[in-house]
């Protein structure tokens, strides 16, 4: 089955075909670095990471750009309230974001452009929009995009601006679908902006939020690229405005596939800074969550459905990832690391179909678990498995873990010297050399690993 992705622009699942064979250009709206990112933000980032991991698995060469919003209404307000320079705030929270993303095992983007590094490109786009009648200046030095000048305005978010007699102007970066008005490309300097200011052909000022992503995406990926992602709250106004600015500037189509992830909820409400109902990675660490357990909770729901995060579900997600961990040890104990095989079990193909069907993670994970249960049962019942079967099982597990990263890598790397001793001990046991087997057990213990002798053979775990 070919990969199909749900394109918000058309509201249908479409077969994914990249612009350039085997290469994928992908832009994801990154964090606004005025505070710690919460795990609602991370639901979106983990979904984008999953998409990227699946594309990599399918053999695509992915170029992933994630921007850092380091100048906007929120970052400026925070710096002003704390009476510090803007970059004191943004540098700090950018660093925290990278740390949290690493903890959550999100693969790093190829580049994290910061908005303040692309001001020249923003000015170039705005000037061109002015020259071609898509934008107009205001006496306070601001420049606004005229939404009525772009006939496709509203196509992404399915709003109709033609009903509006006259469009007003919206100065703030964020607003609702009910107020689709001309939006600020450039904001003339105000006292509240303090020293956050750049020179432009229209006087001193700073960019609006939306132009930032048009500039950073086009600068890094070209004027027309494959995939653009964000959370559903980015559909309007942010992505709608990005399309308008970019298409009117380049005269080309901007993005082929728009993908949006639904909200992470807490007690039936969207997790957000304004509702004060949010949890950060730091909060989760305090509650003893492992990264794998959080990833399990975030990925076990489909990205296009709302998902409730709950610390009450911790036991369940801990158990699920532990079962995979145990299974991986079981296969190691069966000699999986020594088998060279390029086979895969049938279950992998069902799993891959689920993933190709718009990343249906709940179905894909369920398929993997059903198969894992069956394999575990076979191993526990000492059913003879061929080395091809074990090799195929291991290959599947490795792929599954490359996509979901549910296995704690710190726990699972059994050093080669320990593996060697385990093998020696296996031989000793088969020859009934119990004294020698005990000696080896002590050597393994000294290296920080414990051996359990079970009817299925030796089981290893960290001491
Ligand atoms: P921000 O830092 O506010 O620019 O948001 C970064 C990303 O997180 C954006 O793509 C948002 O759409 C997304 N986001 C914000 N809140 C949530 C939530 N509760 N669930 C899922 N994604 C969210
Ligand atoms: Zn953006």
């Amino acid at each position: 089955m070919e990969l199909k992705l749900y394109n918000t622009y058309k509201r249908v699942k479409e077969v994914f075909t990249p612009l350039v064979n085997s290469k994928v250009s992908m832009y994801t709206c990154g964090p606004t670095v005025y505070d710690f990112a919460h795990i609602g933000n991370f639901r979106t980032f983990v979904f984008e990471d999953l998409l990227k991991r699946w594309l990599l698995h399918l053999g695509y060469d992915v170029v992933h750009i994630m921007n850092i919003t380091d100048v906007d209404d929120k970052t400026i307000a925070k710096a002003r309230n704390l009476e510090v320079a803007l970059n004191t705030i943004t540098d700090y929270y950018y660093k925290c974001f990278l740390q949290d993303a690493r903890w959550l095992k999100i693969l790093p983007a190829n580049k994290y452009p910061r908005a303040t590094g692309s001001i020249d490109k923003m000015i170039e786009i705005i000037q061109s929009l002015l020259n071609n009648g898509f934008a107009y200046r205001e006496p306070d030095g601001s420049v606004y995009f005229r939404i009525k000048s772009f006939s496709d305005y509203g196509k992404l978010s399915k709003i109709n601006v033609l009903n509006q007699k006259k469009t007003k102007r919206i100065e703030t970066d964020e607003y609702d679908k009910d107020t689709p008005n001309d939006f600020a490309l450039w904001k003339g300097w105000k006292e509240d902006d303090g020293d956050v200011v750049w020179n432009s052909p229209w006087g001193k000022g700073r960019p609006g939020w939306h132009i930032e992503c048009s500039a950073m995406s086009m600068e890094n990926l070209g004027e027309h690229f494959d995939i653009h992602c964000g959370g559903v709250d980015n559909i309007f106004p942010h992505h709608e405005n990005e399309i308008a600015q970019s298409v009117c500037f380049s005269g080309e189509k901007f993005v082929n596939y728009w993908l949006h992830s639904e909200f992470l909820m807490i007690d039936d409400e969207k997790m957000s800074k304004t509702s004060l109902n949010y949890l950060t990675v730091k909060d989760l660490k305090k509650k003893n969550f492992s990264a794998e357990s959080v990833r399990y909770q975030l990925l076990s729901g489909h990205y296009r459905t709302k998902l409730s995060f709950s610390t009450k579900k911790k036991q369940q997600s801990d158990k699920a990832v532990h079962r995979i961990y145990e299974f991986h040890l079981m296969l190691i104990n069966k000699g999986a690391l020594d088998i060279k095989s390029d086979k895969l079990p049938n279950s992998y193909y069902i799993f891959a179909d689920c993933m190709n069907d718009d990343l249906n993670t709940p179905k894909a994970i369920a398929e993997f678990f059903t198969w894992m249960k069956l394999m575990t049962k076979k191993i526990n019942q000492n059913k003879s498995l061929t080395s091809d079967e074990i090799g195929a099982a291991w290959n599947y597990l490795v792929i599954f873990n490359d996509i979901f990263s549910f296995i704690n890598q710190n726990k699972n790397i059994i050093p080669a010297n320990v593996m060697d001793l385990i093998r020696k001990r296996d031989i000793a046991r088969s020859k009934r050399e119990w004294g020698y087997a005990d000696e080896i057990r002590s050597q393994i213990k000294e290296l920080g690993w414990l051996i359990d002798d079970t009817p299925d053979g030796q089981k290893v775990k960290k001491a």
Side-chain angles (χ1 to χ4, degrees):
M1 184 179 162
E2 296 162 294
L3 172 62
K4 283 186 175 167
L5 298 172
Y6 184 86
N7 190 348
T8 311
Y9 198 83
K10 298 186 188 161
R11 303 288 197 268
V12 285
K13 282 186 210 170
E14 288 184 312
V15 172
F16 176 69
T17 316
L19 283 162
V20 180
N21 210 4
S22 81
K23 286 200 178 350
V24 178
S25 42
M26 171 169 162
Y27 183 89
T28 59
C29 286
T32 307
V33 283
Y34 72 109
D35 204 339
F36 297 105
H38 56 67
I39 54 154
N41 302 129
F42 277 113
R43 179 191 188 188
T44 293
F45 303 145
V46 167
F47 144 68
E48 293 158 350
D49 180 57
L50 175 90
L51 169 63
K52 177 164 132 189
R53 284 168 182 255
W54 186 244
L55 290 165
L56 289 170
H57 172 65
L58 294 180
Y60 290 108
D61 178 5
V62 183
V63 178
H64 174 208
I65 304 295
M66 175 182 267
N67 81 291
I68 302 295
T69 305
D70 65 350
V71 55
D72 78 324
D73 295 350
K74 290 191 233 172
T75 44
I76 293 173
K78 181 87 174 230
R80 198 180 56 235
N81 286 343
L82 296 181
E83 296 178 359
V84 293
L86 181 69
N87 68 350
T88 306
I89 295 293
T90 56
D91 286 354
Y92 175 71
Y93 288 112
Y94 174 38
K95 205 175 85 205
C96 296
F97 162 72
L98 290 181
Q99 271 169 7
D100 289 350
R102 203 174 309 126
W103 185 78
L104 274 169
K105 300 160 111 180
I106 293 175
L107 300 178
N110 293 71
K111 197 171 162 188
Y112 296 97
R114 294 173 65 143
T116 49
S118 291
I119 303 287
D120 287 349
K121 182 73 186 173
M122 295 173 208
I123 291 176
E124 179 198 333
I125 300 171
I126 298 169
Q127 189 58 57
S128 158
L129 294 173
L130 275 167
N131 294 348
N132 293 299
F134 296 112
Y136 56 91
R137 292 169 67 167
E138 281 293 298
D140 69 347
S142 299
V143 181
Y144 283 84
F145 186 89
R146 185 182 284 115
I147 59 173
K148 290 242 163 130
S149 67
F150 179 52
S151 58
D152 281 348
Y153 194 87
K155 282 222 167 134
L156 177 73
S157 52
K158 310 285 174 244
I159 51 161
N160 191 350
V161 286
L162 294 175
N163 291 343
Q164 272 177 283
K165 280 203 190 87
K166 201 168 173 291
T167 45
K168 292 189 218 131
R169 279 181 301 281
I170 292 262
E171 199 193 317
T172 53
D173 287 332
E174 291 182 81
Y175 49 91
D176 288 340
K177 256 176 146 183
D178 316 332
T179 44
N181 283 306
D182 293 353
F183 59 90
L185 295 164
W186 188 260
K187 302 183 183 194
W189 183 82
K190 286 206 195 83
E191 230 176 292
D192 280 351
D193 292 339
D195 60 359
V196 182
V197 63
W198 287 267
N199 286 321
S200 80
W202 328 287
K204 287 184 189 306
R206 62 171 174 104
W209 172 37
H210 316 296
I211 194 72
E212 297 180 0
C213 281
S214 286
M216 285 182 276
S217 58
M218 290 200 272
E219 214 167 37
N220 288 285
L221 296 172
E223 289 170 358
H224 184 190
F225 55 93
D226 294 308
I227 301 178
H228 195 314
C229 304
V232 283
D233 55 343
N234 284 157
I235 297 173
F236 190 88
H238 188 48
H239 291 165
E240 191 71 65
N241 293 351
E242 259 190 69
I243 295 173
Q245 299 155 161
S246 308
V247 173
C248 293
F249 167 70
S250 71
E252 269 197 65
K253 188 172 180 183
F254 177 43
V255 167
N256 280 0
Y257 301 87
W258 286 93
L259 270 75
H260 294 96
S261 78
E262 252 299 350
F263 289 139
L264 186 71
M265 313 289 286
I266 202 149
D267 300 328
D268 294 330
E269 217 188 323
K270 174 194 169 191
M271 185 179 287
S272 72
K273 292 271 160 57
T274 36
S275 309
L276 297 174
N277 61 358
Y278 63 92
L279 290 164
T280 61
V281 163
K282 205 167 155 194
D283 296 327
L284 295 182
K285 282 184 185 167
K286 269 193 216 146
K287 291 179 193 295
N288 259 331
F289 265 96
S290 68
E292 293 74 25
S293 187
V294 179
R295 288 181 66 86
Y296 185 87
Q297 281 210 31
L298 296 180
L299 291 169
S300 53
H302 188 246
Y303 78 92
R304 282 193 294 114
T305 52
K306 289 191 173 65
L307 179 76
S308 285
F309 190 88
S310 139
T311 49
K312 285 187 207 126
K313 285 198 228 157
K314 181 176 178 294
Q315 225 183 356
Q316 211 180 317
S317 49
D318 281 354
K319 206 168 138 196
V321 294
H322 186 69
R323 276 174 60 193
I324 303 170
Y325 179 72
E326 286 283 299
F327 179 64
H328 122 278
L329 288 185
M330 213 176 227
L331 289 181
I332 289 178
N333 285 326
K334 286 274 165 200
L337 294 178
D338 294 327
I339 299 169
K340 294 263 168 300
S341 164
D342 54 7
K343 298 222 161 28
L344 282 163
N346 279 341
S347 168
Y348 163 77
Y349 299 96
I350 302 169
F351 165 85
D353 278 352
C354 300
M355 291 300 288
N356 279 331
D357 183 14
D358 191 33
L359 308 174
N360 195 331
T361 53
K363 271 195 169 170
I365 294 173
E367 172 58 34
F368 177 85
F369 268 85
T370 307
W371 168 82
M372 186 176 77
K373 234 185 193 163
L374 222 83
M375 283 298 289
T376 308
K377 203 167 151 196
K378 273 191 189 172
I379 294 172
N380 283 339
Q381 289 174 347
N382 240 347
K383 291 239 167 83
S384 60
L385 292 169
T386 64
S387 75
D388 255 355
E389 277 177 297
I390 296 177
W394 182 255
N395 291 342
Y396 184 15
L397 177 69
V398 168
I399 292 172
F400 181 80
N401 198 52
D402 278 350
I403 308 303
F404 290 103
S405 213
F406 289 157
I407 297 178
N408 183 337
Q409 299 287 351
N410 297 329
K411 280 204 293 184
N412 84 346
I413 301 166
I414 303 174
N417 54 348
V418 175
M419 276 312 296
D420 196 37
L421 288 169
I422 293 169
R423 252 176 258 127
K424 278 187 186 149
R425 193 167 176 271
D426 234 359
I427 297 168
R429 273 162 49 89
S430 67
K431 291 187 186 163
R432 301 178 156 265
E433 294 171 355
W434 307 121
Y436 185 40
D438 282 348
E439 210 178 284
I440 300 176
R441 180 206 289 276
S442 312
Q443 287 175 29
I444 293 173
K445 195 174 173 194
E446 271 170 35
L447 293 170
W449 295 81
L450 296 178
I451 296 281
D452 241 359
D453 288 324
T454 74
D456 311 320
Q458 305 181 72
K459 291 208 164 171
V460 273
K461 60 176 183 231
K462 253 194 162 164

